[in-house]
Amino acid sequence: MSKIQKFIKKDIKRHPELKKEYKQVDFNLDVAVLVRQMRENLGMTQKEFAKYVGKPQSAIGRIEAGLMNVSIGLLNEIANAAHREVKLVLV
C-alpha cells in the first residue's frame, strides 16, 4: 500500500464522511487517464479532441487534470463521439 493510500485510509477512519469525496476523486483520476489515453491514441491535441467530440477544450482540460466530476453520461457521450464505448464492471 502506498503512502497516499495509507493516508487516505487513516483519514477516512477519522472522518468517515470523506469516503464519498475520496471515491469521487479516485473516479475523476481514472477518467482523466482514460480520456487522455483516448485522445493520445487518436493523435490529437486537447483542442482537436474537444472539437472532435463536441465539447469545449476547457472541459477536456479539466477532465484530463482530474478536476471535473465526470458523470457516466458525460464519459459515454465523449466515448461515443470518439467511436468508442464505455463498459462498466462492478467489483
Side-chain angles (χ1 to χ4, degrees), residues 86-91:
V86 173
K87 290 189 178 186
L88 299 176
V89 177
L90 297 174
V91 293

Side-chain angles (χ1 to χ4, degrees), residues 49-63:
F49 184 71
K51 186 174 181 180
Y52 183 69
V53 299
K55 300 294 176 195
Q57 184 277 324
S58 59
I60 300 301
R62 286 193 314 276
I63 291 168

Side-chain angles (χ1 to χ4, degrees), residues 29-44 46 49 60 63-64 75 78 82 84:
L29 294 174
D30 286 344
V31 170
V33 170
L34 289 172
V35 170
R36 183 175 179 147
Q37 286 175 340
M38 185 176 9
R39 176 179 64 77
E40 288 177 345
N41 288 341
L42 290 167
M44 296 182 180
Q46 279 187 358
F49 184 71
I60 300 301
I63 291 168
E64 288 188 9
L75 180 58
I78 292 169
R84 305 291 196 281

Side-chain angles (χ1 to χ4, degrees), residues 14-40:
R14 285 186 299 186
H15 307 284
E17 69 278 7
L18 295 177
K19 186 174 184 175
K20 185 177 178 181
E21 292 178 48
Y22 276 121
K23 284 189 177 259
Q24 183 66 54
V25 169
D26 188 51
F27 181 77
N28 292 351
L29 294 174
D30 286 344
V31 170
V33 170
L34 289 172
V35 170
R36 183 175 179 147
Q37 286 175 340
M38 185 176 9
R39 176 179 64 77
E40 288 177 345

